[in-house]
Amino acid sequence: MRPSGSMVEVRGARKSYGNFEVLKGIDLSVERGQIVAIIGPSGSGKSTLLRSINHLETLNAGEIWLDGVQVNQPLKGRAFERHINGVRQQMGMVFQHFNLFPHMTVRDNITKGPIVLKGMGRDEADALAAQLLAKVGLADKIDSYPSRLSGGQKQRVAIARALAMKPKVMLFDEATSALDPELVDEVNAVMKQLAAEHMTMIIVTHEMRFASEVADRVLFMDGGAVVEEGQPSTLFTAPTHERTRAFLKKYLNA
Amino acid sequence: MGLDFSVLPPYAELLGVGLWWTIVLTVSAGIVSFVMGILFAVTVLYAPAVIAYPVRFFIWLFMGTPLLLQLFLIYYGLVQIGIDLPALVAGIVGLGLHFAVYNGDIIRAGIAAVDPGQTEGARSIGFGRWQALRYVVIPQAVRNTTPAVGNMMIALLKESSLVSVIGIAELVHASQLAISETYRPFEFYIAAAALYYLANLILEAGLNMIEKRVEASR
Ligand SMILES: Nc1ncnc2c1ncn2[C@@H]1O[C@H](COP(=O)(O)OP(=O)(O)OP(=O)(O)O)[C@@H](O)[C@H]1O
Ligand SMILES: [Mg+2]
């Protein structure tokens, strides 16, 4: 049964690789329109958690819910395939390394999903691509191939591609970590714009300043568990746990 | 008795028809080898074991035996179990499958070399397993392997001469007909070689064009 009115709900998420437990029982709920930033040291399980929400990783235990629908339903084979493909259409995922399709133009990268999965007509899809590219500031790149774009431009196209499916939530896994420093702001600006439009977002990031600017709530993860969470103003300025303090000290002084 | 190329013109039409059949064989078998190659690659990589293992056995069998034998088997052998293929069909099937096995191997490696992030990108949008393969992975694998598959097509053009043994009047077969009437093997084989060379030039130009277009999208 639907556990709550949240947009995203994670209940007791556990995940192991062999004997190594990467997620040790994570609970998280993200309200509609809320923006949650996840921070924590390398290897703490941030990506694994985010990928589990999109079912790119399969949990060993626990539940993931999206807007009242269980993502990791105990279905088998084709039935699960159909279910998960439908669920994923409602979640946008942005990867550290963009994962744009190099053999397609920017237009096709954006329109392929709506056309193939939603049966959208060519003209409507093209108009959507143009509109989304204008939004991320890349209207003139519609006919380019990804190889002709800078990292920041690629990531903005990747965001447009995800938005084209009209997702209920956007998941960002270190969207700016692979970028040259001077290209980070253009991607952050797009994410801030989404925030202003009340897009529900879960953002894994190493950028504390950005997290504090954009997030309603920050989660600090360490060793596969949520150590501490709270509003950015509290968590960044007055963390209660020693591990959070140590982590922030290292990052803020860096 | 020196060389006398004036024996050729009366047989120009015969050679022309021979060249035509060589082209028909190469193009048809080329398409078969490409499509079946993709099918083999996908089957070996993703099909359940009950399908993948027999296919792998078939591939292994086709890799380990000569094309000539395969052609005999398909044309003369299958008749015995009631499958009577016309020579042209047998030739296209034999040549096509023979090269499909090699193309399959090349494309399989090409698929394996595509960044797993591509599949994840496709799946995260909501593409199913097969859709991710069809729209994202296979097109990239095919693009990345065009030079190697192109080489196979050039080999196929040349090897198509082997189907003369099952009575298809392709270029080599046509030359032999002309030679049997004129007793001028040297002139006609030279002429046939020149025509193969010409066909190869055209094929290579075509392949170069395809590679250029693929490069443009990188
Ligand atoms: N496929 C896998 N097989 C085995 N171990 C894995 C696998 N994927 C991740 N891990 C391990 O799980 C742990 C958590 O990884 P995860 O990628 O979630 O960390 P992270 O918090 O995102 O780190 P980073 O900040 O470096 O991205 C790490 O110790 C990692 O080595
Ligand atoms: Mg990570």
Side-chain angles (χ1 to χ4, degrees):
Chain A
M1 273 281 74
R2 179 174 179 156
S4 75
S6 308
M7 182 57 95
V8 177
E9 179 91 13
V10 178
R11 284 269 173 109
R14 290 185 175 275
K15 170 75 184 174
S16 302
Y17 293 110
N19 291 329
F20 180 52
E21 195 165 37
V22 181
L23 299 179
K24 298 174 178 163
I26 305 266
D27 296 302
L28 163 66
S29 81
V30 183
E31 303 307 316
R32 194 176 303 267
Q34 204 176 37
I35 295 162
V36 172
I38 303 177
I39 60 169
S42 186
S44 57
K46 307 180 298 294
S47 296
T48 307
L49 174 61
L50 204 68
R51 290 163 58 80
S52 300
I53 293 173
N54 201 17
H55 205 78
L56 290 173
E57 306 289 346
T58 312
L59 292 179
N60 298 109
E63 294 177 0
I64 309 277
W65 292 74
L66 173 73
D67 199 16
V69 175
Q70 190 177 349
V71 174
N72 57 342
Q73 273 184 37
L75 295 168
K76 288 258 180 294
R78 271 173 209 275
F80 184 77
E81 267 283 306
R82 246 195 317 276
H83 159 73
I84 197 64
N85 294 340
V87 169
R88 283 188 178 132
Q89 290 184 32
Q90 304 169 46
M91 286 194 255
M93 178 114 184
V94 176
F95 301 87
Q96 186 175 356
H97 296 286
F98 331 123
N99 297 358
L100 287 180
F101 308 134
H103 60 299
M104 296 182 194
T105 60
V106 165
R107 176 193 280 107
D108 289 343
N109 264 278
I110 295 171
T111 58
K112 206 54 148 186
I115 289 174
V116 171
L117 300 170
K118 294 187 163 176
M120 188 181 281
R122 251 266 152 238
D123 293 342
E124 193 187 341
D126 284 352
L128 177 65
Q131 177 220 321
L132 288 170
L133 284 171
K135 182 185 178 115
V136 300
L138 292 170
D140 55 328
K141 299 295 183 191
I142 194 159
D143 290 312
S144 303
Y145 281 95
S147 58
R148 299 268 173 264
L149 305 180
S150 72
Q153 292 172 331
K154 280 182 192 162
Q155 196 59 296
R156 285 186 281 156
V157 171
I159 293 172
R161 178 177 76 176
L163 291 174
M165 295 303 289
K166 304 250 189 300
K168 291 177 172 172
V169 56
M170 287 285 286
L171 312 174
F172 294 86
D173 191 1
E174 297 193 30
T176 56
S177 298
L179 302 179
D180 293 335
E182 73 271 20
L183 302 176
V184 167
D185 283 345
E186 62 191 55
V187 174
N188 283 347
V190 170
M191 291 167 70
K192 279 184 183 162
Q193 194 185 337
L194 291 178
E197 295 165 6
H198 307 293
M199 172 64 82
T200 311
M201 300 198 266
I202 305 178
I203 302 170
V204 170
T205 183
H206 282 294
E207 288 181 85
M208 302 308 140
R209 176 189 297 273
F210 179 67
S212 68
E213 283 169 4
V214 78
D216 301 306
R217 202 147 56 89
V218 181
L219 258 68
F220 171 67
M221 280 181 72
D222 195 10
V226 177
V227 173
E228 179 167 358
E229 65 171 287
Q231 294 187 342
S233 50
T234 358
L235 191 128
F236 284 117
T237 52
T240 50
H241 286 257
E242 182 47 43
R243 277 192 285 174
T244 320
R245 267 197 291 274
F247 172 79
L248 288 175
K249 197 168 160 202
K250 217 172 83 186
Y251 256 92
L252 297 177
N253 292 345
Chain B
M1 176 161 132
L3 285 182
D4 178 12
F5 284 98
S6 69
V7 297
L8 294 177
Y11 291 92
E13 196 186 329
L14 179 69
L15 292 182
V17 171
L19 179 62
W20 166 248
W21 284 119
T22 290
I23 291 169
V24 168
L25 275 164
T26 304
V27 170
S28 314
I31 292 169
V32 170
S33 78
F34 180 64
V35 174
M36 290 297 293
I38 293 175
L39 225 60
F40 283 157
V42 171
T43 307
V44 165
L45 283 172
Y46 303 108
V50 280
I51 302 170
Y53 275 93
V55 169
R56 276 167 64 172
F57 176 73
F58 173 85
I59 289 172
W60 174 81
L61 207 68
F62 254 68
M63 273 202 170
T65 52
L67 174 57
L68 189 62
L69 187 76
Q70 291 160 11
L71 289 170
F72 282 148
L73 194 71
I74 290 169
Y75 188 54
Y76 298 112
L78 289 184
V79 179
Q80 256 175 280
I81 56 167
I83 304 173
D84 190 0
L85 299 175
L88 183 65
V89 175
I92 291 170
V93 169
L95 269 175
L97 285 181
H98 183 82
F99 282 92
V101 160
Y102 291 97
N103 285 341
D105 222 36
I106 292 167
I107 294 167
R108 182 189 52 71
I111 289 175
V114 172
D115 172 12
Q118 289 293 309
T119 305
E120 293 193 342
R123 298 302 305 266
S124 75
I125 294 170
F127 283 112
R129 232 188 276 279
W130 169 243
Q131 287 170 324
L133 271 178
R134 173 176 165 200
Y135 294 108
V136 175
V137 177
I138 291 175
Q140 288 182 55
V142 166
R143 278 170 167 76
N144 295 342
T145 54
T146 30
V149 171
N151 284 341
M152 282 296 147
M153 295 301 168
I154 289 168
L156 193 155
L157 167 67
K158 292 185 281 188
E159 298 293 312
S160 71
S161 62
L162 272 179
V163 304
S164 58
V165 297
I166 57 171
I168 299 173
E170 49 65 68
L171 190 47
V172 166
H173 194 277
S175 319
Q176 281 166 332
L177 281 179
I179 292 162
S180 68
E181 285 177 20
T182 57
Y183 306 103
R184 309 292 295 204
F186 203 81
E187 286 88 344
F188 279 98
Y189 284 140
I190 292 268
L195 289 174
Y196 270 112
Y197 188 71
L198 184 73
N200 230 324
L201 282 182
I202 295 167
L203 181 57
E204 272 181 54
L207 290 170
N208 276 336
M209 255 171 58
I210 293 171
E211 273 180 50
K212 278 231 176 65
R213 284 194 52 179
V214 166
E215 280 305 322
S217 66
R218 279 207 196 148

Coordinates of all heavy atoms in Angstrom, one line a residue, chain A residues 51 54 56 81 84-85 88-89 91 93 95 99-104 109 112-113 116-117 145 147-148 161 165, chain B residues 115-131 135-137 139-140 143 215-218:
Chain A
R51 N 20.8 5.5 -7.9 CA 20.5 4.5 -9.0 C 19.5 3.5 -8.6 O 18.8 2.9 -9.4 CB 21.9 3.8 -9.3 CG 22.8 4.8 -10.0 CD 24.3 4.2 -10.0 NE 24.4 2.9 -10.7 CZ 24.4 2.7 -12.0 NH1 24.4 3.8 -12.8 NH2 24.5 1.5 -12.5
N54 N 16.0 4.7 -9.4 CA 15.7 4.5 -10.8 C 15.8 3.0 -11.2 O 15.7 2.7 -12.4 CB 16.6 5.3 -11.6 CG 16.0 5.6 -13.0 OD1 14.9 5.4 -13.2 ND2 16.9 6.0 -13.9
L56 N 18.3 1.2 -11.5 CA 19.5 0.8 -12.2 C 20.3 -0.2 -11.3 O 21.1 -0.9 -11.8 CB 20.4 2.0 -12.6 CG 19.8 2.9 -13.7 CD1 20.6 4.1 -13.9 CD2 19.6 2.1 -15.0
E81 N 9.5 -5.8 -16.5 CA 10.0 -5.0 -17.5 C 9.0 -3.9 -17.9 O 9.4 -2.7 -18.0 CB 10.3 -5.8 -18.8 CG 11.7 -6.4 -18.9 CD 12.7 -5.3 -19.3 OE1 12.5 -4.6 -20.3 OE2 13.7 -5.1 -18.5
I84 N 8.7 -1.4 -15.0 CA 9.8 -0.5 -14.7 C 10.0 0.5 -15.8 O 10.4 1.6 -15.6 CB 11.1 -1.3 -14.4 CG1 12.1 -0.4 -13.7 CG2 11.7 -1.9 -15.6 CD1 11.7 0.1 -12.3
N85 N 9.8 0.0 -17.1 CA 9.9 1.0 -18.2 C 8.9 2.1 -18.1 O 9.2 3.3 -18.3 CB 9.7 0.3 -19.5 CG 10.8 -0.7 -19.8 OD1 11.9 -0.6 -19.3 ND2 10.5 -1.7 -20.7
R88 N 10.2 4.4 -15.1 CA 11.4 5.2 -15.5 C 11.0 6.4 -16.4 O 11.7 7.4 -16.4 CB 12.4 4.3 -16.2 CG 13.2 3.4 -15.2 CD 14.3 2.7 -16.0 NE 15.1 1.9 -15.1 CZ 15.5 0.7 -15.4 NH1 15.0 0.1 -16.5 NH2 16.2 0.0 -14.6
Q89 N 9.9 6.2 -17.2 CA 9.5 7.4 -18.0 C 9.2 8.6 -17.1 O 9.2 9.7 -17.6 CB 8.3 7.0 -18.9 CG 8.7 6.0 -20.0 CD 7.5 5.7 -20.9 OE1 6.7 6.5 -21.1 NE2 7.5 4.5 -21.4
M91 N 10.7 9.4 -14.3 CA 11.9 9.8 -13.6 C 13.0 10.3 -14.5 O 13.3 9.5 -15.4 CB 12.5 8.7 -12.7 CG 11.7 8.4 -11.5 SD 12.7 7.4 -10.4 CE 11.9 5.8 -10.7
M93 N 16.9 11.1 -15.2 CA 18.1 10.8 -14.5 C 19.2 11.5 -15.3 O 19.3 11.4 -16.5 CB 18.4 9.3 -14.5 CG 19.7 8.9 -13.9 SD 19.4 8.0 -12.3 CE 21.1 7.8 -11.8
F95 N 23.4 11.9 -15.5 CA 24.6 11.2 -15.1 C 25.8 12.1 -15.1 O 25.9 13.1 -15.8 CB 24.8 10.0 -16.0 CG 23.7 9.0 -16.1 CD1 22.7 9.2 -17.0 CD2 23.7 7.9 -15.3 CE1 21.6 8.3 -17.1 CE2 22.7 7.0 -15.4 CZ 21.6 7.1 -16.3
N99 N 26.1 10.6 -20.8 CA 25.5 9.5 -21.5 C 24.6 9.9 -22.6 O 23.5 9.3 -22.8 CB 24.7 8.6 -20.5 CG 25.7 7.9 -19.5 OD1 26.9 8.1 -19.5 ND2 25.1 7.1 -18.5
L100 N 24.9 11.0 -23.3 CA 24.2 11.3 -24.5 C 24.5 10.3 -25.5 O 25.5 9.6 -25.5 CB 24.7 12.7 -25.0 CG 24.2 13.9 -24.2 CD1 24.7 15.2 -24.8 CD2 22.7 14.0 -24.1
F101 N 23.6 10.2 -26.5 CA 23.8 9.2 -27.6 C 24.6 9.8 -28.7 O 24.1 10.7 -29.4 CB 22.4 8.7 -28.1 CG 21.5 8.2 -27.0 CD1 20.2 8.6 -27.0 CD2 22.0 7.4 -26.0 CE1 19.3 8.2 -26.0 CE2 21.1 7.0 -25.0 CZ 19.8 7.4 -25.0
P102 N 25.8 9.4 -28.9 CA 26.7 10.1 -29.8 C 26.3 10.0 -31.3 O 26.7 10.8 -32.1 CB 28.1 9.4 -29.6 CG 27.8 8.1 -29.0 CD 26.5 8.2 -28.3
H103 N 25.5 9.0 -31.6 CA 25.2 8.8 -33.0 C 23.9 9.6 -33.4 O 23.4 9.5 -34.5 CB 25.0 7.3 -33.3 CG 23.9 6.7 -32.5 ND1 23.9 6.6 -31.1 CD2 22.7 6.1 -32.8 CE1 22.9 6.0 -30.7 NE2 22.1 5.7 -31.7
M104 N 23.4 10.3 -32.5 CA 22.1 11.1 -32.7 C 22.4 12.6 -32.6 O 23.2 13.0 -31.7 CB 21.0 10.7 -31.8 CG 20.5 9.3 -31.8 SD 19.2 9.1 -30.6 CE 19.1 7.3 -30.6
N109 N 18.4 13.1 -29.8 CA 18.7 12.7 -28.4 C 17.4 13.0 -27.5 O 17.0 12.3 -26.7 CB 19.9 13.4 -27.8 CG 21.2 12.6 -27.9 OD1 21.4 11.7 -27.0 ND2 21.9 12.8 -28.9
K112 N 13.8 11.2 -29.2 CA 13.7 9.7 -29.4 C 12.7 9.1 -28.3 O 11.9 8.3 -28.7 CB 15.1 9.1 -29.3 CG 15.2 7.8 -30.0 CD 14.7 7.9 -31.4 CE 15.4 7.0 -32.4 NZ 15.1 7.3 -33.8
G113 N 12.9 9.5 -27.1 CA 12.1 9.0 -26.0 C 10.6 9.3 -26.2 O 9.8 8.4 -26.3
V116 N 9.3 7.4 -29.4 CA 9.2 5.9 -29.4 C 8.3 5.5 -28.2 O 7.5 4.5 -28.4 CB 10.6 5.3 -29.2 CG1 10.6 3.8 -28.9 CG2 11.5 5.6 -30.5
L117 N 8.5 6.1 -27.1 CA 7.8 5.6 -25.9 C 6.4 6.2 -25.7 O 5.6 5.6 -25.1 CB 8.7 5.9 -24.6 CG 10.1 5.3 -24.7 CD1 10.9 5.8 -23.5 CD2 9.9 3.7 -24.6
Y145 N 25.8 17.3 -33.3 CA 26.1 16.0 -32.7 C 26.8 16.3 -31.3 O 27.5 17.3 -31.2 CB 27.0 15.1 -33.5 CG 26.2 14.5 -34.6 CD1 26.1 15.0 -35.9 CD2 25.5 13.3 -34.4 CE1 25.4 14.4 -36.9 CE2 24.7 12.7 -35.4 CZ 24.7 13.3 -36.7 OH 23.9 12.7 -37.6
S147 N 29.3 15.3 -30.0 CA 30.8 15.4 -30.0 C 31.2 16.9 -30.3 O 32.3 17.3 -30.0 CB 31.4 14.5 -31.1 OG 30.8 14.9 -32.3
R148 N 30.3 17.7 -30.8 CA 30.6 19.1 -31.1 C 30.4 20.0 -29.9 O 30.6 21.2 -30.0 CB 29.8 19.6 -32.3 CG 30.1 18.8 -33.6 CD 31.2 19.5 -34.4 NE 31.5 18.7 -35.5 CZ 32.6 17.8 -35.5 NH1 33.3 17.7 -34.5 NH2 32.8 17.1 -36.6
R161 N 17.0 16.3 -22.4 CA 16.5 15.0 -22.8 C 15.7 14.3 -21.7 O 14.6 13.7 -22.0 CB 17.8 14.1 -23.1 CG 17.4 12.7 -23.5 CD 18.6 11.8 -23.8 NE 19.4 11.4 -22.7 CZ 20.4 10.6 -22.7 NH1 20.9 10.2 -23.8 NH2 21.0 10.3 -21.6
M165 N 10.7 13.9 -21.2 CA 9.7 12.8 -20.8 C 8.7 13.3 -19.8 O 7.9 12.6 -19.3 CB 10.5 11.6 -20.3 CG 11.3 10.9 -21.3 SD 10.4 10.3 -22.8 CE 9.4 9.0 -22.1
Chain B
D115 N 29.9 1.7 -24.5 CA 29.9 2.1 -23.1 C 28.6 1.7 -22.4 O 27.5 2.0 -22.9 CB 30.1 3.7 -23.0 CG 29.9 4.3 -21.7 OD1 29.9 3.5 -20.7 OD2 29.8 5.5 -21.6
P116 N 28.7 1.0 -21.3 CA 27.5 0.6 -20.5 C 26.6 1.8 -20.2 O 25.4 1.7 -20.0 CB 28.0 -0.1 -19.3 CG 29.4 -0.4 -19.5 CD 29.9 0.5 -20.6
G117 N 27.2 3.0 -20.0 CA 26.5 4.2 -19.7 C 25.4 4.5 -20.8 O 24.4 5.1 -20.5
Q118 N 25.7 4.0 -22.0 CA 24.7 4.3 -23.1 C 23.4 3.5 -22.8 O 22.3 4.0 -23.0 CB 25.3 3.8 -24.4 CG 26.4 4.7 -24.9 CD 25.9 6.1 -25.3 OE1 24.9 6.2 -26.1 NE2 26.5 7.1 -24.8
T119 N 23.6 2.3 -22.4 CA 22.4 1.5 -22.1 C 21.7 2.1 -20.9 O 20.4 2.2 -20.9 CB 22.8 0.0 -21.8 OG1 23.5 -0.5 -22.9 CG2 21.6 -0.9 -21.5
E120 N 22.4 2.5 -19.9 CA 21.8 3.1 -18.7 C 21.1 4.4 -19.1 O 20.0 4.7 -18.6 CB 22.9 3.4 -17.7 CG 23.4 2.1 -17.1 CD 24.3 2.4 -15.8 OE1 24.6 3.5 -15.6 OE2 24.5 1.4 -15.1
G121 N 21.7 5.2 -20.0 CA 21.1 6.4 -20.4 C 19.7 6.1 -21.1 O 18.7 6.7 -20.8
A122 N 19.7 5.1 -21.9 CA 18.5 4.7 -22.6 C 17.5 4.1 -21.7 O 16.3 4.5 -21.7 CB 18.8 3.7 -23.7
R123 N 17.9 3.2 -20.8 CA 17.0 2.6 -19.8 C 16.4 3.6 -18.9 O 15.2 3.6 -18.5 CB 17.7 1.5 -19.0 CG 18.2 0.3 -19.8 CD 17.1 -0.4 -20.7 NE 16.0 -0.8 -19.9 CZ 15.8 -2.0 -19.4 NH1 16.8 -2.9 -19.5 NH2 14.7 -2.4 -18.7
S124 N 17.2 4.6 -18.5 CA 16.7 5.6 -17.6 C 15.6 6.5 -18.2 O 14.7 7.0 -17.4 CB 17.8 6.5 -17.1 OG 18.2 7.5 -18.1
I125 N 15.6 6.6 -19.5 CA 14.5 7.3 -20.1 C 13.2 6.5 -20.1 O 12.1 7.0 -20.2 CB 14.9 7.7 -21.6 CG1 16.0 8.7 -21.6 CG2 13.7 8.3 -22.3 CD1 16.6 8.9 -22.9
G126 N 13.4 5.2 -20.1 CA 12.2 4.3 -20.1 C 12.3 3.3 -21.3 O 11.3 2.5 -21.5
F127 N 13.3 3.3 -22.1 CA 13.5 2.3 -23.1 C 13.6 0.9 -22.5 O 14.3 0.7 -21.5 CB 14.7 2.6 -24.0 CG 14.6 3.7 -24.9 CD1 15.3 4.9 -24.8 CD2 13.8 3.6 -26.0 CE1 15.2 5.9 -25.7 CE2 13.6 4.6 -26.9 CZ 14.3 5.8 -26.8
G128 N 12.9 -0.1 -23.2 CA 13.1 -1.4 -22.7 C 14.4 -2.0 -23.2 O 15.2 -1.3 -23.9
R129 N 14.7 -3.2 -22.7 CA 16.0 -3.8 -23.1 C 16.2 -3.8 -24.6 O 17.3 -3.5 -25.1 CB 15.9 -5.3 -22.6 CG 17.0 -5.8 -21.8 CD 16.9 -7.3 -21.6 NE 16.0 -7.6 -20.5 CZ 16.4 -7.5 -19.2 NH1 17.6 -7.2 -18.8 NH2 15.5 -7.9 -18.2
W130 N 15.2 -4.3 -25.3 CA 15.3 -4.4 -26.8 C 15.4 -3.1 -27.4 O 16.1 -2.8 -28.4 CB 14.2 -5.3 -27.3 CG 14.1 -5.2 -28.8 CD1 13.1 -4.8 -29.6 CD2 15.1 -5.7 -29.7 NE1 13.4 -4.9 -30.9 CE2 14.7 -5.4 -31.0 CE3 16.4 -6.2 -29.6 CZ2 15.4 -5.7 -32.2 CZ3 17.2 -6.5 -30.7 CH2 16.6 -6.2 -32.0
Q131 N 14.6 -2.1 -26.9 CA 14.6 -0.8 -27.5 C 16.0 -0.1 -27.3 O 16.5 0.6 -28.2 CB 13.5 0.1 -26.8 CG 12.1 -0.3 -27.3 CD 11.0 0.4 -26.5 OE1 11.2 0.6 -25.3 NE2 9.9 0.8 -27.2
Y135 N 17.8 1.1 -30.6 CA 18.0 2.5 -30.9 C 19.3 3.1 -30.5 O 19.8 4.1 -31.0 CB 16.9 3.4 -30.2 CG 15.5 3.1 -30.8 CD1 14.6 2.4 -30.0 CD2 15.2 3.5 -32.1 CE1 13.3 2.1 -30.5 CE2 13.9 3.2 -32.6 CZ 13.0 2.5 -31.8 OH 11.8 2.2 -32.3
V136 N 20.0 2.5 -29.5 CA 21.2 3.1 -29.0 C 22.4 2.2 -29.1 O 23.4 2.7 -29.7 CB 20.9 3.4 -27.5 CG1 22.2 3.9 -26.8 CG2 19.8 4.4 -27.3
V137 N 22.4 1.0 -28.7 CA 23.6 0.2 -28.7 C 24.0 -0.4 -30.1 O 25.1 -0.2 -30.5 CB 23.4 -1.0 -27.7 CG1 24.7 -1.9 -27.7 CG2 23.2 -0.4 -26.3
P139 N 23.1 0.6 -33.2 CA 23.6 1.6 -34.2 C 25.0 2.0 -33.9 O 25.8 2.2 -34.8 CB 22.6 2.7 -34.0 CG 21.4 2.1 -33.4 CD 21.8 1.0 -32.6
Q140 N 25.4 2.1 -32.6 CA 26.7 2.5 -32.3 C 27.7 1.4 -32.6 O 28.8 1.7 -33.1 CB 26.9 3.0 -30.9 CG 26.2 4.3 -30.6 CD 26.3 4.7 -29.1 OE1 27.4 4.8 -28.6 NE2 25.2 4.9 -28.5
R143 N 28.2 1.3 -36.4 CA 29.0 2.4 -36.8 C 30.5 2.2 -36.5 O 31.4 2.4 -37.3 CB 28.6 3.7 -36.1 CG 27.4 4.3 -36.8 CD 26.9 5.5 -35.9 NE 26.0 6.3 -36.7 CZ 24.7 6.0 -36.9 NH1 24.3 4.8 -36.5 NH2 23.9 6.8 -37.6
E215 N 31.7 9.0 -39.6 CA 32.7 9.9 -38.9 C 32.0 11.2 -38.6 O 32.3 11.8 -37.5 CB 33.9 10.1 -39.8 CG 34.9 9.0 -39.8 CD 35.4 8.6 -38.4 OE1 35.5 9.5 -37.5 OE2 35.5 7.4 -38.1
A216 N 31.2 11.7 -39.5 CA 30.6 13.0 -39.3 C 29.8 13.0 -38.0 O 29.6 14.1 -37.3 CB 29.7 13.4 -40.5
S217 N 29.2 11.9 -37.6 CA 28.4 11.9 -36.4 C 29.1 11.5 -35.2 O 28.5 10.9 -34.2 CB 27.2 10.9 -36.7 OG 27.7 9.6 -36.8
R218 N 30.4 11.7 -35.2 CA 31.2 11.4 -33.9 C 31.6 12.6 -33.2 O 32.0 13.6 -33.8 CB 32.4 10.6 -34.3 CG 32.0 9.1 -34.5 CD 33.0 8.2 -34.2 NE 32.6 6.9 -34.7 CZ 33.4 6.0 -35.2 NH1 34.6 6.2 -35.2 NH2 32.9 4.9 -35.7

